[in-house]
Coordinates of all heavy atoms in Angstrom, one line a residue:
E373 N 1.6 18.8 13.8 CA 1.6 18.5 15.2 C 2.9 18.8 15.9 O 2.9 19.2 17.1 CB 1.4 17.0 15.3 CG 0.0 16.5 14.9 CD -0.2 15.0 14.9 OE1 0.8 14.3 15.3 OE2 -1.3 14.5 14.6
A374 N 4.0 18.8 15.1 CA 5.3 19.2 15.7 C 5.6 20.7 15.7 O 6.6 21.1 16.2 CB 6.5 18.5 14.9
G375 N 4.7 21.4 15.1 CA 4.8 22.9 15.1 C 5.8 23.4 14.0 O 6.4 24.5 14.2
I376 N 6.0 22.6 13.0 CA 6.9 23.0 11.9 C 6.2 23.4 10.7 O 5.3 22.7 10.2 CB 7.9 21.8 11.6 CG1 8.7 21.4 12.8 CG2 8.8 22.1 10.4 CD1 9.6 20.2 12.6
A377 N 6.5 24.6 10.1 CA 5.9 25.1 8.9 C 6.3 24.3 7.7 O 7.4 23.8 7.6 CB 6.2 26.6 8.7
W378 N 5.3 24.2 6.8 CA 5.6 23.3 5.6 C 4.8 23.9 4.4 O 3.8 24.6 4.6 CB 5.2 21.9 5.8 CG 3.8 21.7 6.4 CD1 3.5 21.6 7.7 CD2 2.6 21.6 5.6 NE1 2.1 21.5 7.8 CE2 1.6 21.4 6.6 CE3 2.3 21.6 4.3 CZ2 0.2 21.3 6.2 CZ3 1.0 21.4 3.9 CH2 0.0 21.3 4.8
T379 N 5.3 23.5 3.2 CA 4.6 23.8 2.0 C 4.7 22.5 1.1 O 5.8 22.0 0.9 CB 5.2 25.0 1.2 OG1 5.0 26.1 2.1 CG2 4.4 25.2 -0.1
I380 N 3.6 22.2 0.5 CA 3.5 21.0 -0.5 C 3.6 21.5 -1.9 O 2.9 22.4 -2.3 CB 2.3 20.1 -0.2 CG1 2.4 19.3 1.0 CG2 2.0 19.2 -1.4 CD1 1.3 18.3 1.3
I381 N 4.4 20.9 -2.7 CA 4.4 21.1 -4.2 C 3.9 19.8 -4.8 O 4.4 18.7 -4.6 CB 5.9 21.4 -4.7 CG1 6.5 22.6 -4.0 CG2 5.8 21.5 -6.2 CD1 7.9 22.9 -4.4
E382 N 2.8 20.0 -5.6 CA 2.1 18.9 -6.2 C 1.6 19.3 -7.6 O 1.2 20.4 -7.8 CB 0.9 18.5 -5.3 CG 0.0 17.4 -6.0 CD 0.7 16.2 -6.4 OE1 1.5 15.6 -5.6 OE2 0.5 15.7 -7.5
K383 N 1.8 18.4 -8.6 CA 1.3 18.7 -9.9 C -0.2 18.5 -10.2 O -0.7 19.1 -11.0 CB 2.1 17.7 -10.9 CG 3.6 18.0 -11.0 CD 4.3 17.0 -11.8 CE 3.9 17.0 -13.2 NZ 4.7 16.1 -14.1
I384 N -0.8 17.6 -9.4 CA -2.2 17.2 -9.6 C -3.0 18.0 -8.6 O -3.0 17.6 -7.4 CB -2.4 15.7 -9.5 CG1 -1.5 15.0 -10.5 CG2 -3.9 15.4 -9.7 CD1 -1.6 13.5 -10.4
P385 N -3.8 18.9 -8.9 CA -4.6 19.8 -8.0 C -5.5 18.9 -7.1 O -5.7 19.2 -5.9 CB -5.3 20.8 -8.9 CG -4.5 20.8 -10.1 CD -4.0 19.4 -10.3
A386 N -6.1 17.9 -7.7 CA -7.1 17.1 -6.9 C -6.5 16.5 -5.7 O -7.3 16.3 -4.7 CB -7.7 16.0 -7.8
R387 N -5.3 16.2 -5.7 CA -4.7 15.5 -4.5 C -4.6 16.4 -3.3 O -4.6 16.0 -2.2 CB -3.3 15.0 -4.9 CG -3.2 13.8 -5.8 CD -1.8 13.4 -6.0 NE -1.7 12.2 -6.8 CZ -0.6 11.6 -7.2 NH1 0.6 12.1 -6.8 NH2 -0.6 10.5 -7.9
V388 N -4.5 17.7 -3.5 CA -4.2 18.7 -2.4 C -5.3 19.7 -2.4 O -5.0 20.8 -1.9 CB -2.8 19.3 -2.5 CG1 -1.7 18.3 -2.3 CG2 -2.6 19.9 -3.9
Q389 N -6.5 19.4 -2.9 CA -7.5 20.5 -2.9 C -7.9 21.0 -1.6 O -8.4 22.1 -1.4 CB -8.7 19.9 -3.7 CG -9.4 18.7 -3.1 CD -10.5 18.2 -3.9 OE1 -10.9 18.8 -4.9 NE2 -11.1 17.0 -3.5
D390 N -7.8 20.1 -0.5 CA -8.2 20.5 0.8 C -7.0 21.0 1.7 O -7.2 21.2 2.9 CB -8.9 19.4 1.5 CG -10.2 18.9 0.8 OD1 -10.8 19.8 0.3 OD2 -10.5 17.7 0.8
I391 N -5.9 21.2 1.1 CA -4.7 21.6 1.8 C -4.4 23.0 1.6 O -4.4 23.5 0.4 CB -3.5 20.7 1.4 CG1 -3.7 19.2 1.8 CG2 -2.2 21.2 2.0 CD1 -2.6 18.3 1.4
E392 N -4.2 23.8 2.7 CA -4.0 25.2 2.6 C -2.6 25.6 2.0 O -2.5 26.4 1.1 CB -4.2 25.9 3.9 CG -4.0 27.4 3.9 CD -4.2 28.0 5.3 OE1 -4.5 27.2 6.2 OE2 -4.1 29.2 5.4
H393 N -1.6 25.0 2.6 CA -0.2 25.4 2.2 C 0.3 24.5 1.0 O 1.0 23.5 1.2 CB 0.8 25.2 3.4 CG 0.3 25.9 4.6 ND1 0.2 27.3 4.7 CD2 -0.2 25.4 5.8 CE1 -0.2 27.6 5.9 NE2 -0.5 26.5 6.6
K394 N -0.1 24.9 -0.2 CA 0.2 24.1 -1.4 C 0.6 25.0 -2.5 O 0.2 26.2 -2.6 CB -1.0 23.2 -1.8 CG -2.2 24.0 -2.2 CD -3.3 23.0 -2.6 CE -4.6 23.8 -3.1 NZ -5.2 24.4 -2.0
I395 N 1.4 24.5 -3.4 CA 1.7 25.1 -4.7 C 1.6 24.1 -5.8 O 2.1 23.0 -5.7 CB 3.1 25.7 -4.6 CG1 3.2 26.8 -3.6 CG2 3.6 26.2 -6.0 CD1 4.6 27.4 -3.5
I396 N 0.7 24.4 -6.8 CA 0.5 23.5 -7.9 C 1.6 23.8 -8.9 O 1.7 24.9 -9.4 CB -0.9 23.7 -8.5 CG1 -1.9 23.5 -7.3 CG2 -1.1 22.7 -9.6 CD1 -1.9 22.2 -6.6
G397 N 2.3 22.8 -9.3 CA 3.4 23.0 -10.3 C 4.4 21.9 -10.3 O 4.2 20.9 -9.5
N398 N 5.4 22.0 -11.1 CA 6.4 21.0 -11.3 C 7.6 21.3 -10.3 O 8.1 22.4 -10.3 CB 6.9 21.0 -12.7 CG 7.8 19.8 -13.1 OD1 8.5 19.3 -12.2 ND2 7.7 19.3 -14.3
A399 N 7.9 20.3 -9.5 CA 8.9 20.5 -8.5 C 10.3 20.6 -9.0 O 11.3 20.9 -8.3 CB 8.9 19.4 -7.5
S400 N 10.5 20.5 -10.3 CA 11.8 20.6 -10.9 C 12.0 22.0 -11.6 O 13.0 22.3 -12.2 CB 12.1 19.5 -12.0 OG 11.1 19.6 -13.0
E401 N 10.9 22.8 -11.5 CA 11.0 24.2 -12.1 C 11.4 25.2 -11.1 O 10.9 25.2 -10.0 CB 9.6 24.6 -12.7 CG 9.2 23.7 -13.9 CD 7.8 24.1 -14.4 OE1 7.3 25.1 -13.8 OE2 7.4 23.5 -15.4

Side-chain angles (χ1 to χ4, degrees):
E373 293 175 1
I376 299 177
W378 53 268
T379 298
I380 283 183
I381 300 177
E382 171 58 48
K383 292 174 63 175
I384 304 175
R387 288 183 176 177
V388 292
Q389 59 183 356
D390 297 327
I391 295 179
E392 180 180 357
H393 307 292
K394 63 177 181 289
I395 293 177
I396 306 300
N398 191 326
S400 63
E401 294 180 359

